[in-house]
PDB file of all heavy atoms in Angstrom:
ATOM      1  N   SER A 934     127.193 122.873 127.402  1.00  0.00           N
ATOM      2  CA  SER A 934     127.350 122.681 125.956  1.00  0.00           C
ATOM      3  C   SER A 934     126.643 121.419 125.470  1.00  0.00           C
ATOM      4  O   SER A 934     126.249 121.314 124.318  1.00  0.00           O
ATOM      5  CB  SER A 934     128.841 122.606 125.601  1.00  0.00           C
ATOM      6  OG  SER A 934     129.451 121.501 126.254  1.00  0.00           O
ATOM      7  N   GLN A 935     126.478 120.439 126.363  1.00  0.00           N
ATOM      8  CA  GLN A 935     125.825 119.192 126.000  1.00  0.00           C
ATOM      9  C   GLN A 935     124.355 119.155 126.396  1.00  0.00           C
ATOM     10  O   GLN A 935     123.600 118.336 125.899  1.00  0.00           O
ATOM     11  CB  GLN A 935     126.519 117.996 126.687  1.00  0.00           C
ATOM     12  CG  GLN A 935     127.896 117.671 126.163  1.00  0.00           C
ATOM     13  CD  GLN A 935     128.492 116.486 126.910  1.00  0.00           C
ATOM     14  OE1 GLN A 935     128.647 116.518 128.125  1.00  0.00           O
ATOM     15  NE2 GLN A 935     128.807 115.437 126.169  1.00  0.00           N
ATOM     16  N   ARG A 936     123.951 120.048 127.307  1.00  0.00           N
ATOM     17  CA  ARG A 936     122.650 119.910 127.944  1.00  0.00           C
ATOM     18  C   ARG A 936     121.487 119.938 126.964  1.00  0.00           C
ATOM     19  O   ARG A 936     120.679 119.021 126.911  1.00  0.00           O
ATOM     20  CB  ARG A 936     122.458 121.016 128.988  1.00  0.00           C
ATOM     21  CG  ARG A 936     121.159 120.862 129.769  1.00  0.00           C
ATOM     22  CD  ARG A 936     121.019 121.980 130.795  1.00  0.00           C
ATOM     23  NE  ARG A 936     122.169 122.048 131.680  1.00  0.00           N
ATOM     24  CZ  ARG A 936     122.358 121.217 132.703  1.00  0.00           C
ATOM     25  NH1 ARG A 936     121.490 120.259 132.939  1.00  0.00           N
ATOM     26  NH2 ARG A 936     123.412 121.346 133.466  1.00  0.00           N
ATOM     27  N   GLY A 937     121.421 120.964 126.125  1.00  0.00           N
ATOM     28  CA  GLY A 937     120.269 121.091 125.244  1.00  0.00           C
ATOM     29  C   GLY A 937     118.999 121.185 126.064  1.00  0.00           C
ATOM     30  O   GLY A 937     118.843 122.050 126.921  1.00  0.00           O
ATOM     31  N   LYS A 938     118.074 120.234 125.857  1.00  0.00           N
ATOM     32  CA  LYS A 938     116.813 120.212 126.600  1.00  0.00           C
ATOM     33  C   LYS A 938     116.884 119.302 127.823  1.00  0.00           C
ATOM     34  O   LYS A 938     115.871 119.071 128.490  1.00  0.00           O
ATOM     35  CB  LYS A 938     115.693 119.739 125.677  1.00  0.00           C
ATOM     36  CG  LYS A 938     115.416 120.673 124.506  1.00  0.00           C
ATOM     37  CD  LYS A 938     114.276 120.137 123.663  1.00  0.00           C
ATOM     38  CE  LYS A 938     113.984 121.060 122.487  1.00  0.00           C
ATOM     39  NZ  LYS A 938     112.877 120.543 121.631  1.00  0.00           N
ATOM     40  N   ILE A 939     118.068 118.771 128.140  1.00  0.00           N
ATOM     41  CA  ILE A 939     118.199 117.858 129.272  1.00  0.00           C
ATOM     42  C   ILE A 939     118.147 118.655 130.570  1.00  0.00           C
ATOM     43  O   ILE A 939     118.948 119.565 130.793  1.00  0.00           O
ATOM     44  CB  ILE A 939     119.521 117.074 129.192  1.00  0.00           C
ATOM     45  CG1 ILE A 939     119.597 116.303 127.869  1.00  0.00           C
ATOM     46  CG2 ILE A 939     119.648 116.122 130.360  1.00  0.00           C
ATOM     47  CD1 ILE A 939     120.943 115.656 127.637  1.00  0.00           C
ATOM     48  N   ALA A 940     117.234 118.288 131.446  1.00  0.00           N
ATOM     49  CA  ALA A 940     117.102 118.999 132.720  1.00  0.00           C
ATOM     50  C   ALA A 940     118.147 118.497 133.702  1.00  0.00           C
ATOM     51  O   ALA A 940     118.558 117.337 133.651  1.00  0.00           O
ATOM     52  CB  ALA A 940     115.701 118.773 133.288  1.00  0.00           C
ATOM     53  N   PRO A 941     118.614 119.360 134.600  1.00  0.00           N
ATOM     54  CA  PRO A 941     119.551 118.897 135.643  1.00  0.00           C
ATOM     55  C   PRO A 941     118.828 117.999 136.634  1.00  0.00           C
ATOM     56  O   PRO A 941     117.600 117.962 136.694  1.00  0.00           O
ATOM     57  CB  PRO A 941     120.009 120.208 136.290  1.00  0.00           C
ATOM     58  CG  PRO A 941     118.885 121.158 136.051  1.00  0.00           C
ATOM     59  CD  PRO A 941     118.307 120.790 134.713  1.00  0.00           C
ATOM     60  N   SER A 942     119.604 117.288 137.416  1.00  0.00           N
ATOM     61  CA  SER A 942     119.010 116.392 138.405  1.00  0.00           C
ATOM     62  C   SER A 942     118.216 117.197 139.428  1.00  0.00           C
ATOM     63  O   SER A 942     118.665 118.242 139.912  1.00  0.00           O
ATOM     64  CB  SER A 942     120.116 115.588 139.105  1.00  0.00           C
ATOM     65  OG  SER A 942     119.571 114.808 140.136  1.00  0.00           O
ATOM     66  N   ASN A 943     117.019 116.715 139.752  1.00  0.00           N
ATOM     67  CA  ASN A 943     116.187 117.403 140.746  1.00  0.00           C
ATOM     68  C   ASN A 943     116.052 116.571 142.021  1.00  0.00           C
ATOM     69  O   ASN A 943     115.066 116.698 142.757  1.00  0.00           O
ATOM     70  CB  ASN A 943     114.810 117.715 140.166  1.00  0.00           C
ATOM     71  CG  ASN A 943     114.084 116.453 139.708  1.00  0.00           C
ATOM     72  OD1 ASN A 943     114.611 115.345 139.850  1.00  0.00           O
ATOM     73  ND2 ASN A 943     112.889 116.621 139.163  1.00  0.00           N
ATOM     74  N   LEU A 944     117.045 115.708 142.267  1.00  0.00           N
ATOM     75  CA  LEU A 944     117.016 114.884 143.477  1.00  0.00           C
ATOM     76  C   LEU A 944     117.137 115.793 144.711  1.00  0.00           C
ATOM     77  O   LEU A 944     118.012 116.657 144.779  1.00  0.00           O
ATOM     78  CB  LEU A 944     118.174 113.879 143.445  1.00  0.00           C
ATOM     79  CG  LEU A 944     118.241 112.887 144.608  1.00  0.00           C
ATOM     80  CD1 LEU A 944     117.013 111.986 144.607  1.00  0.00           C
ATOM     81  CD2 LEU A 944     119.511 112.038 144.505  1.00  0.00           C
ATOM     82  N   ASP A 945     116.282 115.610 145.711  1.00  0.00           N
ATOM     83  CA  ASP A 945     116.216 116.474 146.890  1.00  0.00           C
ATOM     84  C   ASP A 945     117.191 115.968 147.960  1.00  0.00           C
ATOM     85  O   ASP A 945     116.834 115.204 148.852  1.00  0.00           O
ATOM     86  CB  ASP A 945     114.793 116.492 147.431  1.00  0.00           C
ATOM     87  CG  ASP A 945     114.571 117.605 148.443  1.00  0.00           C
ATOM     88  OD1 ASP A 945     115.580 118.176 148.911  1.00  0.00           O
ATOM     89  OD2 ASP A 945     113.403 117.881 148.768  1.00  0.00           O
TER      90      ASP A 945
END
Side-chain angles (χ1 to χ4, degrees):
S934 61
Q935 290 180 301
R936 185 180 305 282
K938 296 181 180 179
I939 303 172
S942 175
N943 59 1
L944 183 64
D945 193 346

